[in-house]
Amino acid sequence: MENVLSVRELHISVRGERPLPLVKNVSFDVEAGRCLGILGESGSGKSLTCGSLVGLLGSEYAVSGEVRFNGRNLLTANREELRRLRGAEISMILQNPMTSFDPLRTIESHILETLRAHGSVSRKEALAAGREMLARMRIEDPDGAMRRYPHQMSGGMLQRTMIGLALLLGPKLIVADEPTTALDSITRFEVVEEIRRMREECECAMIFVSHDLGVLASVADSVLVMHEGEVVEKGELRRVFASPRSEQARYLLGTRFSLIDRFRRMVRNEGGAPSRMDYAAASF
Ligand SMILES: Nc1ncnc2c1ncn2[C@@H]1O[C@H](COP(=O)(O)OP(=O)(O)OP(=O)(O)O)[C@@H](O)[C@H]1O
Ligand SMILES: [Mg+2]
């Protein structure tokens, strides 16, 4: 499979008289149709890494290295090119859906904007596509949902809507930074199921950041473990979860997984998708 994304020697630092290095020498690839999970303690540089890929970091950060997306180096792309890529070819799904929606505009208005900013569809076509997307995301009463404002939806509904919006334009890469962390465990299960379904439907590549081992185990094919801004381990998820080589991966997996050895055995011996109970157990 060809690489949709290739990151080489990514360095991120805060500018200043004495630059403060935050992400150091990070390299990884994501192939079409595959999902790379990123695991690491708080502050290890996961969000900075994701944000730098699509030019979302502020000017206080200096970013160097190479981020090749379909062969093109995004670190040298201009703002307009990046703006066009975001949404159309690269979609971001963020932790708190509330912050990604404009509180003063309805869901319908967000759908129209997403579709019409990147293509020449009529209002009628855009509304039909939006309604269909909401139904696919199992939002009850899609017509009613279109007229609602973000605060009139539950966290789970809003996150499903954001995933649906992220998929509307058929992106080649989805970057999801802790998309389930702010949800309760039942809603999380539903959202993860939606993400799994979406991965089956689209051939896109995905980066999925999560603290939640159960969620990672169910969506990622390979994992990158970060520690203090560096990659300390990468490999196939099954291998890393079953026999982590780095001390940090052993620690991250061990502290929460020692109580749920069943889960680890399941990862090791195949055994199908984790159940709702497995998520609940792995996400305290
Ligand atoms: N402008 C800045 N000045 C100083 N330190 C910064 C700045 N921006 C980010 N950092 C630090 O960089 C580190 C990496 O941040 P990042 O948000 O990538 O962590 P993360 O792995 O996503 O953590 P979390 O799991 O909590 O989301 C953190 O320790 C953060 O405090
Ligand atoms: Mg983060």
Side-chain angles (χ1 to χ4, degrees):
M1 267 293 192
E2 99 253 36
N3 288 328
V4 172
L5 188 77
S6 284
V7 175
R8 290 290 172 275
E9 295 172 32
L10 180 73
H11 289 263
I12 305 173
S13 54
V14 179
R15 293 179 202 277
E17 233 167 82
R18 297 177 71 221
L20 173 66
L22 295 172
V23 168
K24 296 156 243 170
N25 202 24
V26 167
S27 299
F28 59 87
D29 295 312
V30 196
E31 291 174 18
R34 300 254 304 171
C35 176
L36 172 74
I38 303 185
L39 182 66
E41 82 271 32
S42 184
S44 57
K46 306 179 299 292
S47 295
L48 284 175
T49 300
C50 290
S52 72
L53 304 178
V54 287
L56 286 181
L57 300 186
S59 55
E60 69 267 35
Y61 299 98
V63 183
S64 68
E66 208 176 78
V67 173
R68 291 218 163 260
F69 173 68
N70 282 330
R72 166 133 193 38
N73 186 3
L74 298 185
L75 294 187
T76 57
N78 63 37
R79 287 168 68 133
E80 179 54 24
E81 278 176 278
L82 288 172
R83 200 193 55 79
R84 248 182 288 129
L85 279 175
R86 282 198 301 267
E89 296 198 45
I90 304 177
S91 277
M92 304 281 297
I93 303 174
L94 302 174
Q95 176 167 354
N96 185 350
M98 254 334 193
T99 59
S100 308
F101 287 90
D102 178 345
L104 300 177
R105 288 169 37 213
T106 60
I107 300 302
E108 175 180 294
S109 150
H110 286 87
I111 291 171
L112 285 175
E113 185 195 72
T114 303
L115 280 169
R116 302 191 77 185
H118 294 280
S120 56
V121 287
S122 70
R123 185 185 157 83
K124 207 172 146 201
E125 286 168 326
L127 289 178
R131 207 173 291 118
E132 197 215 324
M133 173 279 278
L134 291 174
R136 207 167 37 206
M137 289 294 134
R138 296 148 190 260
I139 304 283
E140 273 174 47
D141 179 21
D143 280 306
M146 297 272 262
R147 289 190 296 273
R148 290 201 204 177
Y149 289 89
H151 72 270
Q152 294 172 317
M153 290 177 115
S154 69
M157 270 168 90
L158 213 49
Q159 192 60 304
R160 292 207 301 273
T161 304
M162 185 148 97
I163 293 169
L165 274 171
L167 291 175
L168 260 183
L169 295 157
K172 298 196 173 59
L173 174 68
I174 296 175
V175 181
D177 190 357
E178 310 224 28
T180 58
T181 309
L183 306 173
D184 63 72
S185 70
I186 301 299
T187 312
R188 183 180 304 139
F189 178 80
E190 291 167 7
V191 170
V192 167
E193 284 306 298
E194 222 52 75
I195 291 173
R196 287 162 65 94
R197 219 184 334 275
M198 141 191 127
R199 287 211 48 220
E200 280 161 24
E201 274 177 34
C202 83
E203 262 295 281
C204 57
M206 188 161 178
I207 294 176
F208 194 101
V209 177
S210 183
H211 283 128
D212 190 322
L213 302 174
V215 172
L216 271 183
S218 74
V219 300
D221 303 300
S222 52
V223 276
L224 194 72
V225 182
M226 291 188 69
H227 176 69
E228 293 179 358
E230 293 181 84
V231 174
V232 290
E233 183 154 355
K234 61 182 161 188
E236 289 297 302
L237 180 128
R238 279 169 194 284
R239 200 279 298 157
V240 176
F241 273 37
S243 46
R245 288 175 191 148
S246 63
E247 194 192 318
Q248 289 84 6
R250 272 203 296 277
Y251 173 76
L252 287 169
L253 294 163
T255 46
R256 277 176 286 176
F257 260 22
S258 53
L259 292 170
I260 39 170
D261 209 31
R262 190 169 85 76
F263 198 104
R264 189 179 276 176
R265 280 202 304 274
M266 188 188 70
V267 171
R268 210 179 289 149
N269 322 319
E270 195 63 43
S275 70
R276 185 180 288 229
M277 281 307 290
D278 292 315
Y279 288 125
S283 51
F284 51 84

